[in-house]
Amino acid sequence: MGKIHILLCLAAAIAAGCGGDSPSNQDPDGSADSDSDSDTDADSDSDSDSDSDSDTDTDTDSDSDTDTDSDSDSDCDEDPEPPGSGSCPEICNGGCEDNVCSIECVGEAACDGDTINCPPDYACDILCDGVDACDEGVFNCNEEYACSLTCTGGYDACGDGALNCGGDASCVLECGTPASACTGTTVNCSTGECTALCEGDVEPTVNCMESTCECNLC
């Protein structure tokens, strides 16, 4: 009888779910795969490569290479200051201001064929002004101080003349107008700076030595 009771109970349990573990049919795949792959791959690669490479290459290389190379690259020494003497030499008929002996040959044939020697202790400034003023003249500078000869005012003012420079001091021939003022004129340079300046197209002969520190032609 006990067996019959058990069998009946089992049958009732199957029919009525008596004692049965009715598994709540929960989504067997409870994998709440809320693949909220919020792939907020907000690739905010805001490549704001603000390459502000504002290459302000302010290359202010203002090549202010103000080439002050204004020919101060000369190998020549500065002219020494002439000391002068107690009284202005007689040949310096234009005076001796700043110990520069001024020799003036003004007028037609004023010093034609003359030999003029610059005095010692003075720089020398010779002016030949006029037709044949110093034609075939010879001008000898001293050995130590600056010397210049200006030819102007007429044909052959210094025609066929010769300026003989001396020593290491500067020596200058200036040919003014007319162009024929220095026709046939010669400059014999020494070791100092030697220069010829010409307003016209007739150029003097300038004999530069190998030892002349600087030679400037017309």
Side-chain angles (χ1 to χ4, degrees):
M1 183 83 180
K3 284 182 183 177
I4 293 169
H5 176 70
I6 292 169
L7 288 172
L8 286 173
C9 190
L10 280 172
I14 290 167
C18 173
D21 234 17
S22 84
S24 62
N25 218 333
Q26 292 176 347
D27 191 89
D29 211 321
S31 135
D33 209 282
S34 59
D35 211 288
S36 64
D37 218 314
S38 57
D39 218 282
T40 14
D41 212 87
D43 211 299
S44 58
D45 218 296
S46 57
D47 216 280
S48 53
D49 217 294
S50 55
D51 229 289
S52 54
D53 209 285
S54 53
D55 218 77
T56 29
D57 218 290
T58 45
D59 212 85
T60 20
D61 205 283
S62 58
D63 217 292
S64 58
D65 222 291
T66 34
D67 227 312
T68 1
D69 213 293
S70 45
D71 265 310
S72 50
D73 283 356
S74 173
D75 292 330
C76 304
D77 295 330
E78 273 189 45
D79 290 328
E81 292 287 328
S85 59
S87 60
C88 188
E90 190 178 341
I91 194 172
C92 309
N93 60 348
C96 292
E97 189 175 347
D98 298 326
N99 294 328
V100 176
C101 171
S102 178
I103 302 170
E104 298 180 349
C105 297
V106 179
E108 186 170 344
C111 300
D112 190 3
D114 289 357
T115 295
I116 295 175
N117 299 309
C118 292
D121 299 327
Y122 287 87
C124 200
D125 186 9
I126 307 162
L127 171 65
C128 296
D129 185 356
V131 176
D132 291 331
C134 298
D135 191 27
E136 298 184 355
V138 176
F139 312 94
N140 298 316
C141 301
N142 66 44
E143 291 292 313
E144 299 175 79
Y145 305 110
C147 185
S148 67
L149 170 63
T150 301
C151 308
T152 190
Y155 176 78
D156 267 359
C158 296
D160 301 316
L163 174 63
N164 299 316
C165 305
D168 295 335
S170 64
C171 188
V172 179
L173 169 66
E174 185 171 351
C175 298
T177 55
S180 57
C182 287
T183 302
T185 308
T186 300
V187 182
N188 297 310
C189 302
S190 183
T191 52
E193 184 175 359
C194 191
T195 303
L197 305 170
C198 304
E199 287 190 33
D201 55 1
V202 176
E203 298 182 4
T205 299
V206 180
N207 298 320
C208 295
M209 296 169 41
E210 194 174 331
S211 57
T212 301
C213 70
E214 190 172 322
C215 203
N216 305 304
L217 310 182
C218 289

